[in-house]
Amino acid sequence: MSSHTTPAEPAAGPRAARRRLIRELLLVAGFFTVYKAGRLLSTDRTEDAFRNAARIWDAERFLHLPGEGAIQRLLLHGDALVTTANTYYAGVHFPATALFLIWLYIRRPAHYLWTRRVLAGLTGAALALHLAFPLAPPRLLDAAALIDTAQVYGPTVYKAAPAEDTLANQFAAMPSLHFGWALMLALGMIAATSSRWRFLWLLHPLLTLLVIVGTANHYWLDAVVAAVLLWAALLLVPKPRPSDPDRDPDAGPDPGSTAEPVQDTPVRGLPRPRSADAAVGAGQ
């Protein structure tokens, strides 16, 4: 006897895909909300933040790292250049990461899961360090003698006085998630693509590093610590294997694939294999 529920079966794929999408959106939004709320817990630790800033500044001089001012002086050669750097700092970080994750979710699901887990580990570790080690950025440290380029030239995402900023924690300089996320974006695109030009994605974290230092929002060591935390997260989260599916199984064959379909050709002398449905029916 034929079943009348068969026509509804094709809709299971789209429904499952929508459920996965909603789940991912809620997961990412929830994690980001927790992170933003957690960062605000250390906004009133002003003395600790400036004490730690002096220690970081002295440590960089002890390590003979180049002064952040050298990069800032390059930006200050022209108003357009420094304004572009401020705009890059304010406007590229979140949109670039969001577009990166969306592309992976649609085109490389296995790499998306890997990247999301790595970013979650990196961001969680960063939040713990923000709370344990509040740090004022170099633009607020008198010893650095640097210009707050965002306040002077614009655009800016921070209030002039950290105490007045209720939407952002200006004492969360270490590690730099601007750099950490940018570096993961580059590594993720290199891992998920096969173009001979894919290593050019490394220009994104390099440019981000020059921007965060030149605008005096971060120290060199902020980027170093972010890279170390990212390296630890990459060690802990298994990378997708070549055999892992990289497309939604409900989406059908990849329209861009040039591979020929596998033919179900029987081998001479052996019985023709049954379909999965026939095999299931026989076992009932």
Side-chain angles (χ1 to χ4, degrees), residues 79-95 149-150 153-157 178 211 215 217:
D79 290 0
L81 185 59
V82 69
T83 302
T84 300
N86 292 333
T87 303
Y88 190 94
Y89 180 86
V92 172
H93 177 51
F94 285 111
T149 60
Y153 297 92
T156 181
V157 295
H178 268 73
V211 164
T215 57
N217 281 293

Side-chain angles (χ1 to χ4, degrees), residues 10 18 20 44 47 57 78-79 82 88 98-99 111-112 133 138 154 160 163 165 212 224 227 242 259-260 268 270:
R18 284 194 295 269
R20 286 195 297 272
D44 59 344
E47 292 185 6
W57 184 258
D79 290 0
V82 69
Y88 190 94
L99 290 174
H111 285 81
Y112 166 79
F133 192 77
D165 206 331
I212 63 175
V224 172
E260 294 293 332
R268 185 181 299 274
L270 293 179

Side-chain angles (χ1 to χ4, degrees), residues 108-115 191 237-246:
R108 302 288 189 271
H111 285 81
Y112 166 79
L113 289 175
W114 170 63
T115 302
V237 179
K239 186 178 178 181
R241 297 168 299 179
S243 59
D244 287 341
D246 238 339

Side-chain angles (χ1 to χ4, degrees), residues 57 60-61 65-77 81-82 137-139 141-149 209-220:
W57 184 258
E60 287 190 343
R61 307 293 76 78
L65 293 178
E68 286 80 357
I71 305 300
Q72 184 169 95
R73 284 191 291 273
L74 293 176
L75 295 182
L76 294 177
H77 278 303
L81 185 59
V82 69
R139 57 187 167 78
L141 184 64
D142 291 339
L146 296 173
I147 296 174
D148 187 341
T149 60
L209 176 61
L210 296 178
V211 164
I212 63 175
V213 171
T215 57
N217 281 293
H218 288 282
Y219 306 90
W220 294 111

Side-chain angles (χ1 to χ4, degrees), residues 42-55 134 136 171:
S42 61
T43 54
D44 59 344
R45 299 175 60 185
T46 304
E47 292 185 6
D48 291 339
F50 281 97
R51 187 182 304 112
N52 291 332
R55 291 169 178 168
F171 298 149

Side-chain angles (χ1 to χ4, degrees), residues 18-39:
R18 284 194 295 269
R19 286 196 298 268
R20 286 195 297 272
L21 177 59
I22 293 173
R23 180 190 64 194
E24 287 298 324
L25 290 175
L26 291 176
L27 182 64
V28 172
F31 185 80
F32 181 73
T33 300
V34 171
Y35 169 73
K36 291 292 288 185
R39 276 181 44 145

